[in-house]
Amino acid sequence: MLEVFVRKADGALVQAIVPETWATQVQVGASIDFASRPDGTYSYRDQNGQRRTVERVKAIEAPAATSSGVDDLTLMLGLLVLLMAGFGILALLVARSRSSRRSVGELIEEGDETVPCDDDEPPLPGDPADAMAELMRRAQNAEQ
């Protein structure tokens, strides 16, 4: 038999005498529901040295234990869901960045008129303003 302290639904402290086979179900933080019968009182000294007396009960049927805490499986499943969501968001971001980078061939649509490059023409001047003027002159000559 095990002697354990439990709290009743109203918050009162009770000493319960339960079978040793219940040890896995009677844990700190667990909620346990079992039928019992009164077995007098129990006196003890608390940490401050004061004498306390509480009700004592004996269990008469098996408990229906329900854990009030989060078990390991729930914690692991939650972590797995968070990781999968993170990887999904990362995959979407990578896909978006790849689709925004297009090659030059994709930018030229079918039916666009292309002007053949003359290798005879001199290279463009180093000054940007002069280079733009030269390009405009070449474009006008190509249209004629």
Side-chain angles (χ1 to χ4, degrees):
M1 301 298 279
L2 294 175
E3 294 179 351
V4 295
F5 285 96
V6 295
R7 291 214 179 267
K8 292 168 100 177
D10 63 2
L13 189 62
V14 177
Q15 183 195 31
I17 300 172
V18 297
E20 200 169 320
T21 57
W22 293 10
T24 59
Q25 295 168 326
V26 182
Q27 296 179 0
V28 175
S31 176
I32 188 165
D33 185 19
F34 63 94
S36 63
R37 63 177 169 81
D39 191 41
T41 58
Y42 176 74
S43 295
Y44 67 97
R45 287 196 187 276
D46 67 7
Q47 294 176 345
N48 297 329
Q50 296 181 355
R51 191 147 214 40
R52 305 265 182 191
T53 303
V54 294
E55 179 184 357
R56 184 176 182 157
V57 296
K58 279 190 177 179
I60 57 175
E61 72 176 40
T66 57
S67 175
S68 62
V70 176
D71 61 346
D72 290 339
L73 180 61
T74 304
L75 187 62
M76 293 299 284
L77 286 174
L79 184 61
L80 180 65
V81 167
L82 285 174
L83 283 173
M84 289 178 66
F87 282 126
I89 291 170
L90 184 64
L92 284 173
L93 291 174
V94 168
R96 280 182 118 183
S97 70
R98 285 188 179 171
S99 68
S100 66
R101 285 188 256 149
R102 295 182 182 170
S103 68
V104 174
E106 292 175 4
L107 293 176
I108 299 174
E109 297 178 9
E110 288 184 34
D112 280 353
E113 293 184 25
T114 58
V115 178
C117 182
D118 290 335
D119 291 335
D120 303 353
E121 294 182 5
L124 293 174
D127 181 36
D130 292 340
M132 283 299 286
E134 178 64 24
L135 286 174
M136 287 181 65
R137 186 191 62 75
R138 289 180 188 179
Q140 287 174 354
N141 287 343
E143 287 178 4
Q144 295 173 0

